[in-house]
Amino acid sequence: MNETRAPRTPRTATPSAAPTRTPRPTAQPAPAPLPVPAAPDWPSRWHLLIPTSLRNTAANLGLWQNPTPLKPSDHLAQTLAVLERYGWCRSLDFSPTGRMCIRGAQTLLEHTGHVTPAARQRAVDYMQHTLRMDGVAMPFHAWNDLPTRTFPQVSHLLTASATAARNHGE
């Protein structure tokens, strides 16, 4: 029995029965960085002479416009912006040439209403935590005044602290 067999045709499945390939997940693009709050202009003489309580009363009456206080992460970013704009120094909160240390920049922002005392203290807590994670057990203002300190190190401290505060929702 010699039967000749017909050549076989390849079997194909209908498109609906074919297994679907799922594309591999691609890496999500990094979220756009949050805008850095701009460093405020140096306050006018009137702003420096008017007590905070009087400015707040005038703001409540609509005669004065106070800035919106920032949360700790934005305050730390704005502190860095102030130091980049006016200059950074050691040993003095405010130098005769207008430069500031970290604490001086925070004082400027608090005095002009860009941060509340409570938010400033939270920002200080984040800086202290960042320093402790790096093995430093001294206050941030003493760390700032060390003779070997450089501005890139200060910038790193403020950026890392702001990131930690942002990660905690502050």
Side-chain angles (χ1 to χ4, degrees), residues 72-74 76-77 80 102 122-134 143 151-168 170:
S73 60
D74 291 336
L76 289 164
L80 179 58
I102 298 172
R122 290 293 301 144
V124 168
D125 292 342
Y126 280 108
M127 283 192 289
Q128 289 302 139
H129 178 74
T130 302
L131 287 173
R132 275 194 307 274
M133 296 304 288
D134 289 340
W143 175 86
F151 184 68
Q153 293 169 327
V154 170
S155 175
H156 174 73
L157 170 67
L158 291 170
T159 304
S161 301
T163 301
R166 194 170 293 114
N167 289 342
H168 285 95
E170 290 193 292

Side-chain angles (χ1 to χ4, degrees), residues 89-104:
C89 69
R90 289 184 210 96
S91 303
L92 298 170
D93 281 0
F94 299 94
S95 76
T97 60
R99 294 175 177 215
M100 296 172 237
C101 70
I102 298 172
R103 187 170 58 184

